Amino acid sequence: MNKKDLFFSLFINFFALLLIFWLIPRHVSPHATALHGLTPQVFPYLVAGLLGVLGFVLTIKIIKKPHKKFDNNIEYKINKDAIFCVLLFGVYMFLIFYVGMLISSLMFLIVFMFFFGSQQWGKVTIISVFMIFILFIFFEKLALVPIPRGYFFEYGF
Amino acid sequence: MEILYYILNYIAEYCNNMKLGIFYFFTFSNIIAIFGGVAIGCFFGAIPGMSITLSVALIMPFTFEMEPLTGISLLVAVYVGAIYGGSISAILFNTPGTPAAACTCIDGFKLSQKGQAYKALQIANWASCIGDLFSTIIVMLVLPLLARLALYFGSPEYFALILFAMTIIGGVAGRSMLKGLISGALGFLAATVGMDPVTGGARFGFGSLELLKGLSFVPLLIGLFAIPEVINQLTRSRHMKGKAIIANANIDYNIKTNVMKQDKLTWEEFKESFPHMIRGGIVGLVLGVIPGLGATPAAFISYERARRFSKNPNEFGSGSLEGVAAAEAGNNAVNGPTLVPLLTLGVPGDVITAVMLGAFMIFDLHPGPMLFVQHIDFIYGLFCALIMCDVALRLVGSIFIRYAHYVTRVPTSFVFPCVLILCVFGSYAVNNNLFDVMMMFLFGVIGFIMLSFKVPTVPFLIAFVLAPLLERGLRRSLVISDGSLLIFFQSPIAIFFYILTIFAVYSITKGTLKDIKSN
C-alpha cells in the first residue's frame, strides 16, 4: 500500500466532504430565483460529488494494491529545499508590497541564484541588474504597465 | 454542373480572402513577431524542463499590448520554434527539450556520437519545416469548409461537443486515470470561482471582490506549469550542488567539436529522407486534428512508418538520418492541424490550444464559425503567419543550430530564477493587479504538491478552460427549451458527439484496464 497515495486519496475524500457540508452551503449563493432549478450551487455540488466518488474509488484501489518499491526519484519531491523555495516566494511577495516589484525582484534574483548554487558574484549581479532593467523598460516604458513601487516609496517611510 | 459552380465560387472566394489576409499580415510588426517568436521558441525548447506550454505561457503577457494578429502570430511562432527546439538538446545530449522530441533522441544522439551532430540538426530543421508546411497547406485549404459546417452548431450541439472535448482529460491523464480525473474535477471546481454566469450569484468569493471576478487564466496557467518546474529544477540544481548545467552533468564535451565540424547534409541524404518528411506530415495532419493526442504520438508513429518503408530499416536505432527526419516531421506537422478544432469550433484540442484559447479571449476574439464571418482577414492572416513560421524556422533554425550547444550549457541557477521573475511580471501585467501574482504563487504551490503526488496538472488546465463553456452550453440550451432536457437529444450533430464521447470513454477505459492487467 503506497502511503503517499493513500494520504492523497483521503485528503480528496475529506475535501469533498468539506465542500459539500461547509464550503458550498456557506460560500456559494443559493439564489432564490434559480432558472430551471439550476442554482449557482448545482455545479459545485456536482463537482464535489464527483471528487468524493473518485476519492473513494482511489482509496479502495490503493488499499487493494500490493506494496510498491520505494520511489527514490528526485523529481518534484517535497523536501527542505522545496519548502525553503516556497518560503522565499512568501518573503518575495511580502517585499513586493513594501519595497516594490523592481527592488524586490532584484534582491530575489540575486538571493535565488546564490542559494541554488551559483558562486560567481560578478555574473549574478550583472545578469540580475540587466534582467530587471530589460523588464522595467519593456513593461513600464513600452507596454505602459505601471510597476508597483511599494508602500515605502509611494507613501514614504 | 452545380458542383463545379460551387467549387469555382469557393476558389474565387478563397483567393479573395487570401488577398485580404496577405495585406493584413504583411506588416513589419508581424514579420518581427514571427521571426522573434521562432527564435524565442527555439531557445526555450532547447532547454530541458522548459515545456512548450511554459514557453507560450511566459510570452503571453508580452502580447497584451500588441495587435491581435501580431500577438497570436507571436504565440504560434513560439509554439512552432519550441517544438523544433526540443530536438536540439535531444540530438546533442540525448535529453529531449520537450516531450515531443523524445523520439528524436533515438537516432539523433547516436548520430551525434558518430560525429554527425551537425548533419542531424540540419535534417531535423529541414524535416520540421517541410512536415509542418505540408500539413499547414492542407489545413489552410480545408479549414474554411469545416468552418461552414460549424455554423450549424447551436447551444445543444456545443454542449455535446464540449462534453466530447472533456474526454481529452482521459487522454492527457497519464499513468493514473483516477488521478487525472481528480485533477480535472479540481480544475472544474476552480472554474466555478467567481459569479454564476446566469444568475450572478457569488461562488467561493469569500468576501473578496477579486475572487468574485473569477480566477484569471494567465496567472493560473503560469502558476500551474512554470512554478513547479522552477522549484523542481532549482532543487535539482541544489542537489547537484550548483554544477548542473541544463542538459546533463555527464556531458561529453567532445560533442561541441563535432557540431563545429561543418559535417554538412548532402543532397542524396536529403532526397532519401524527403518521402519520410511528407509521410510525417500526413501523420501529423491526421493526429493533430484529433483532440488530445498531440505531437508525441505523431513523432513515434511517423518514426515507425518510416522504419517500415525505409530501404535501410536496420539503421534505425543506431543513427539513421531518416529516423530523425521522420520523427521531426511528425512532431512538427501537428502545429497547424491542432488549430482546426480551436478555430472552427472554439474547442481546444490539447493544452497548447487551450492556452491559445485564453489568448484569443484576451484579444476579444471568439474562436468558432463566427470568427470566419466577422474576422475573415484575421483568419487568412493567421494562415500567412503559419506559412511564414516555417520560413522563419528554416532561416532561424539554421543559424541557431550553430550556437545551440552554448544555450544548453547555461546553468539552471541562472535560467530558472530569471524565468521566475518573468512569471511574476507576466502575471502582474494581465490586470495590473498583485492579487494575480499571489494567485500565481498559490497555484504554483498547489501544482507542485499535485506533481509530488503524481497528479497531472494538464487535466486541471483543460477542465478549467472547458468547464465554463460546458456550463454555458447546458444552461443556454435549457433556457431555449424552457427547461426541457429533450433539446439535447433532438439534434443529429449532438447525438453524433454523444456517440463519439461514449466511444472515447470506452477506448480510454479499455486502454487503462489493459495497462492495469499488464502491470
Side-chain angles (χ1 to χ4, degrees):
Chain A
M1 188 167 63
N2 188 327
K3 283 184 183 168
K4 211 170 169 184
D5 282 350
L6 182 66
F7 174 77
F8 173 73
S9 68
L10 290 173
F11 172 78
I12 291 295
N13 290 325
F14 168 74
F15 184 60
L17 291 169
L18 189 71
L19 274 170
I20 292 169
F21 293 110
W22 190 65
L23 283 171
I24 296 171
R26 284 189 70 129
H27 296 287
V28 180
S29 160
H31 215 281
T33 54
L35 209 56
H36 309 298
L38 289 177
T39 69
Q41 291 184 334
V42 168
F43 274 87
Y45 271 126
L46 277 172
V47 174
L50 179 65
L51 268 174
V53 167
L54 289 170
F56 179 72
V57 171
L58 185 63
T59 309
I60 301 296
K61 188 182 162 192
I62 290 161
I63 291 169
K64 280 187 168 181
K65 224 183 207 179
H67 179 67
K68 256 186 167 180
K69 279 184 196 166
F70 178 69
D71 178 15
N72 59 358
N73 186 1
I74 60 164
E75 300 290 313
Y76 304 108
K77 282 270 195 222
I78 302 176
N79 52 24
K80 57 179 191 255
D81 287 334
I83 293 169
F84 189 75
C85 223
V86 172
L87 287 172
L88 272 180
F89 292 161
V91 170
Y92 179 29
M93 266 315 307
F94 177 80
L95 281 176
I96 289 177
F97 282 107
Y98 288 95
V99 299
M101 201 178 262
L102 290 171
I103 295 174
S104 57
S105 298
L106 180 65
M107 288 161 60
F108 180 78
L109 255 180
I110 294 171
V111 164
F112 236 77
M113 283 183 189
F114 275 116
F115 179 70
F116 288 102
S118 180
Q119 285 155 1
Q120 298 158 303
W121 275 99
K123 271 188 185 167
V124 164
T125 313
I126 291 168
I127 290 170
S128 304
V129 170
F130 180 70
M131 178 82 183
I132 298 301
F133 176 72
I134 294 293
L135 287 171
F136 169 73
I137 295 295
F138 182 85
F139 281 101
E140 182 115 352
K141 300 297 175 192
L142 292 176
L144 301 175
V145 172
I147 295 174
R149 298 273 186 269
Y151 291 137
F152 288 154
F153 293 100
E154 293 232 9
Y155 304 110
F157 291 82
Chain B
M1 199 63 194
E2 241 183 70
I3 295 169
L4 184 66
Y5 174 76
Y6 181 80
I7 292 168
L8 288 171
N9 195 32
Y10 178 76
I11 293 170
E13 201 182 309
Y14 190 94
C15 293
N16 198 40
N17 291 332
M18 200 65 199
K19 205 168 62 176
L20 277 174
I22 289 170
F23 280 121
Y24 186 36
F25 171 73
F26 277 96
T27 62
F28 182 69
S29 52
N30 290 340
I31 302 290
I32 295 290
I34 294 286
F35 278 81
V38 167
I40 292 167
C42 286
F43 176 81
F44 281 151
I47 303 173
M50 291 284 290
S51 66
I52 301 168
T53 316
L54 176 52
S55 310
V56 174
L58 280 177
I59 296 303
M60 194 185 294
F62 293 90
T63 65
F64 296 156
E65 299 302 317
M66 296 179 184
E67 287 290 314
L69 184 60
T70 311
I72 300 289
S73 299
L74 176 61
L75 295 175
V76 169
V78 170
Y79 174 37
V80 168
I83 290 208
Y84 166 67
S87 67
I88 295 171
S89 54
I91 289 167
L92 293 181
F93 305 115
N94 201 28
T95 307
T98 55
C103 189
T104 310
C105 283
I106 300 170
D107 280 287
F109 185 62
K110 290 280 189 312
L111 283 165
S112 261
Q113 288 177 318
K114 286 183 191 175
Q116 294 176 351
Y118 192 64
K119 198 178 279 199
L121 289 168
Q122 278 190 297
I123 198 76
N125 184 238
W126 274 111
S128 301
C129 296
I130 290 170
D132 190 17
L133 194 63
F134 176 82
S135 65
T136 300
I137 289 171
I138 305 287
V139 163
M140 273 169 55
L141 294 171
V142 167
L143 200 63
L145 274 173
L146 292 173
R148 287 184 189 196
L149 287 172
L151 280 168
Y152 293 101
F153 276 67
S155 293
E157 289 82 5
Y158 263 111
F159 172 76
L161 171 68
I162 303 294
L163 199 63
F164 170 62
M166 284 284 199
T167 58
I168 298 166
I169 290 170
V172 298
R175 286 185 181 176
S176 171
M177 180 62 61
L178 275 172
K179 285 183 177 176
L181 290 173
I182 287 171
S183 176
L186 290 171
F188 205 124
L189 191 69
T192 60
V193 173
M195 291 205 293
D196 180 81
V198 176
T199 62
R203 283 178 179 172
F204 303 116
F206 299 101
S208 159
L209 281 171
E210 303 291 350
L211 279 174
L212 274 180
K213 290 182 208 167
L215 295 174
S216 196
F217 173 72
V218 171
L220 184 136
L221 165 71
I222 293 175
L224 271 184
F225 285 87
I227 303 296
E229 195 53 44
V230 167
I231 300 173
N232 186 45
Q233 290 290 340
L234 289 172
T235 52
R236 269 184 76 225
S237 174
R238 194 162 162 76
H239 179 78
M240 289 167 140
K241 300 213 186 310
K243 288 178 193 161
I245 60 176
I246 288 171
N248 194 323
N250 299 319
I251 288 165
D252 178 3
Y253 283 85
N254 290 329
I255 287 171
K256 184 172 83 172
T257 54
N258 290 337
V259 171
M260 302 303 286
K261 244 185 185 175
Q262 302 293 315
D263 182 17
K264 284 186 180 166
L265 186 70
T266 63
W267 171 243
E268 280 70 35
E269 285 165 338
F270 178 84
K271 248 181 15 185
E272 224 171 58
S273 300
F274 185 76
H276 303 300
M277 296 180 196
I278 299 298
R279 200 173 293 113
I282 296 170
V283 169
L285 173 67
V286 171
L287 294 185
V289 171
I290 301 168
L293 290 178
T296 311
F300 279 95
I301 291 171
S302 176
Y303 181 84
E304 187 272 332
R305 293 277 94 197
R307 183 159 47 182
R308 201 167 278 233
F309 286 98
S310 170
K311 289 175 191 166
N312 312 301
N314 296 329
E315 279 182 20
F316 280 67
S318 51
S320 165
L321 280 172
E322 293 171 73
V324 172
E328 279 301 299
N331 82 22
N332 274 265
V334 300
N335 296 341
T338 49
L339 293 175
V340 169
L342 176 67
L343 291 175
T344 54
L345 298 168
V347 170
D350 62 6
V351 66
I352 302 294
T353 44
V355 173
M356 297 275 191
L357 179 62
F360 272 86
M361 286 175 176
I362 287 165
F363 287 116
D364 201 27
L365 292 168
H366 301 277
M370 291 316 290
L371 193 67
F372 286 76
V373 174
Q374 292 163 352
H375 299 282
I376 194 73
D377 50 353
F378 172 85
I379 292 290
Y380 284 84
L382 191 58
F383 289 165
C384 296
L386 289 169
I387 300 287
M388 189 53 71
C389 280
D390 293 318
V391 173
L393 187 62
R394 177 65 204 127
L395 294 171
V396 172
S398 59
I399 298 167
F400 199 77
I401 58 181
R402 289 171 187 271
Y403 306 105
H405 60 283
Y406 291 118
V407 169
T408 52
R409 290 176 193 280
V410 177
T412 51
S413 57
F414 286 144
V415 170
F416 284 95
C418 291
V419 166
L420 188 61
I421 299 303
L422 272 175
C423 293
V424 168
F425 277 76
S427 299
Y428 175 76
V430 178
N431 293 311
N432 293 359
N433 193 342
L434 283 173
F435 181 79
D436 288 334
V437 180
M438 282 167 51
M439 283 295 112
M440 180 205 69
F441 278 129
L442 177 66
F443 278 98
V445 172
I446 291 171
F448 185 80
I449 293 171
M450 282 171 70
L451 289 166
S452 72
F453 284 99
K454 300 207 175 12
V455 178
T457 51
V458 173
F460 188 109
L461 184 77
I462 291 178
F464 182 80
V465 169
L466 292 179
L469 303 175
L470 185 76
E471 191 180 353
R472 219 174 293 150
L474 173 70
R475 296 174 83 163
R476 273 191 194 151
S477 304
L478 288 174
V479 167
I480 293 166
S481 68
D482 207 25
S484 167
L485 290 174
L486 280 174
I487 193 170
F488 296 108
F489 303 101
Q490 285 169 343
S491 161
I493 296 174
I495 291 170
F496 171 72
F497 280 107
Y498 294 140
I499 293 169
L500 278 182
T501 306
I502 293 167
F503 181 70
V505 170
Y506 170 72
S507 312
I508 292 164
T509 314
K510 191 177 164 190
T512 309
L513 287 171
K514 199 176 164 185
D515 286 342
I516 292 169
K517 277 184 187 165
S518 64
N519 283 340

